[in-house]
Amino acid sequence: MSNPSMPVAPTSWRVEPIGPLVGDVTVRGSKNAVTKHMVAALLGDTPSRVLNCPEIGDIEITAGMLRSLGCEVEVEGSAVSVAPGAMSSGHVPLSYGGLNRIPILLVGPLLHRMGEVLVPLVGGDRIGPRPIDFHVSSLEAMGAEVTMTPEGLHAKGAQLHGARIRLPFPSVGATETVLLTAVLAKGRTLLENAAVEPEVIELALFLQRMGARIELRPDRRFVIEGVDRLQGAEHFLAGDRIEAFSYLVAGLVTGGRVRVRGCVQGRLVTAISTLQRMGAHFEITDEWVAADADRLGHAVVQTDTHPGFMTDWQSPLAVLFTQCEGMSVLHETVYEGRFPYVAALKEMGAEIELFDACLGGRDCRFNEASAVHSAVVRGPTPLHGSEIVVPDIRGGFAYVIAAAAAQGSSVIHDVHHLERGYHHPMEAFSDLGLKIERLAGPSSGA
Ligand code: EPU
């Protein structure tokens, strides 16, 4: 396990475009589900096993946190086992601060196990402010006493109880906090305006498998009846829909054809219908989804909570827009700061203008803010190779596919962001024919 307090070794890739990317990619379970299942495992009296896990940095970071609490965690290929039995502490070392979103999700389970918790401040990608106020107010509604310090969050509460909670926005993380806390709280919790993303439902089903009593009602409502004990469970994770979409787009943006295995059609409905509207042809079986296109036209797309077009599909789509005919519009309604990657695309030749207005859809909650959250992209525009620093996981993937579609080679720095969230991305791109050479590059220090 890498030590989180050690700086991440800066790595860079030199990407040599070779023309259309063609071939097969197999995705594993999703980054945004696996680590939550590891947290859920803390609630069981017996060990849990999660299968079909991707090999990504986020699992190592989460395993390190759980081990620091006294849990046994084994990562063997695609299987992750968590035995929470010998948990000895409710304090997550502050050196885990700023690495991912998991510390805040640990609070509820750790309160149930230890009665008192200290977790570092959460990190994750720099895609907007990413506050945790919904998590904190939900925990408080269930009886936790929460204090924020400059370093982290301290919470106490040995006897948590059910509550009626309405989230101001259907936050994935806050819904997960409520589920992970309410399952062992005393009495009933009604959660309104909950997130219903497939990864959230997958977590709810895992908790149900552990013995939790969770009902999903219409209109984004969960009803959770607290139980006294939960048992460990086993689950084979469903395929990562962000990776699946991203590789399909990698094929389209280079004029090729990528066939993605491991992610069922049902997780990609909105992605498929959006790309079809633009002119992509799909071939879909129970085993795989493949896309190609003779010609792609412009589109107006608004990101949204599920079942809308997901925010994590936004950056590959922006790159695809640069190669489509006409003016396309992207309206980001989930995160207010998700366009920093655009500056580097413009340096590569993309014609993209950013706006603080709500373009191409209904007004969103960023309408009154000065947040830059809409983009107009003109295509098709030739891109040229460049030297780029990866700002976040999803922006990083967008740069690789832009580099694959460009003329001339590119050097992409800080690719460790990609390795935190994608299963062997370099190998996957190489299998599609892209020439990538790993360099020991300078860090941006960003
Ligand atoms: N929000 C608040 N207060 C809160 C929580 C959220 O204002 O207490 C706001 C956020 O600032 C954001 C919106 O609510 O504007 C939605 O945030 P959400 O809580 O749904 O996001 P998250 O749980 O932090 C997860 C994924 C993201 C994904 C979003 C939306 C993980 C680890 N991350 O984040 O994935 O974009 O849900 O689906 O599950 C990624 O994988 O690259 C990534 C960023």
Side-chain angles (χ1 to χ4, degrees), residues 162-165 175 178-179 182-183 185 187-196 201 204 207-208 212-227:
R164 187 177 180 137
I165 298 167
T175 300
V178 173
L179 291 174
V183 285
R188 174 179 294 191
T189 297
L190 170 63
L191 175 62
E192 295 177 300
N193 205 26
V196 291
I201 302 301
L207 290 164
Q208 189 176 58
R213 290 176 56 193
I214 300 178
E215 282 178 45
L216 178 56
R217 300 260 178 93
D219 303 326
R220 297 184 170 277
R221 282 180 306 145
F222 278 102
V223 177
I224 306 130
E225 208 67 64
V227 295

Side-chain angles (χ1 to χ4, degrees), residues 271-283:
I272 292 170
S273 58
T274 302
L275 294 174
Q276 278 175 330
R277 240 179 22 236
M278 294 166 62
H281 312 299
F282 276 84
E283 213 182 327

Side-chain angles (χ1 to χ4, degrees), residues 14-84:
R14 183 191 304 286
V15 177
E16 209 73 59
I18 50 96
L21 297 183
V22 177
D24 284 39
V25 173
T26 302
V27 298
R28 290 204 189 164
S30 98
K31 156 188 163 294
N32 290 344
V34 59
T35 47
K36 322 299 180 52
H37 283 64
M38 292 168 73
V39 174
L42 299 190
L43 295 163
D45 290 344
T46 52
S48 289
R49 232 159 88 88
V50 191
L51 305 174
N52 196 33
C53 300
E55 287 169 25
I56 53 172
D58 243 16
I59 291 186
E60 279 187 38
I61 295 169
T62 307
M65 284 187 228
L66 300 192
R67 289 188 187 115
S68 74
L69 300 167
C71 303
E72 284 172 28
V73 183
E74 268 183 39
V75 182
E76 283 179 326
S78 60
V80 175
S81 310
V82 179

Side-chain angles (χ1 to χ4, degrees), residues 102-114:
I102 294 307
I104 186 67
L105 296 179
L106 284 169
V107 175
L110 287 180
L111 282 176
H112 285 303
R113 297 295 308 263
M114 312 302 296

Side-chain angles (χ1 to χ4, degrees), residues 140-152:
E140 285 174 339
M142 289 187 272
E145 281 174 44
V146 181
T147 318
M148 299 296 292
T149 72
E151 287 165 320

Side-chain angles (χ1 to χ4, degrees), residues 31-33 35-36 58 101-102 125 127-136 169-174 176 195 197 199 241-242 310-312 333-336 338 365-366 392-394 420:
K31 156 188 163 294
N32 290 344
T35 47
K36 322 299 180 52
D58 243 16
R101 310 288 300 160
I102 294 307
D125 290 306
I127 51 180
R130 304 192 79 178
I132 54 168
D133 50 334
F134 306 164
H135 299 252
V136 171
F169 182 83
S171 151
V172 167
E176 291 165 341
E197 267 61 10
E199 297 78 14
R241 61 196 175 117
I242 305 175
M310 74 183 302
T311 171
D312 301 290
T333 75
V334 178
Y335 287 112
E336 61 188 274
R338 214 158 194 187
R365 68 207 159 101
F366 306 135
D392 66 86
I393 297 179
R394 309 304 170 197
R420 181 165 81 81

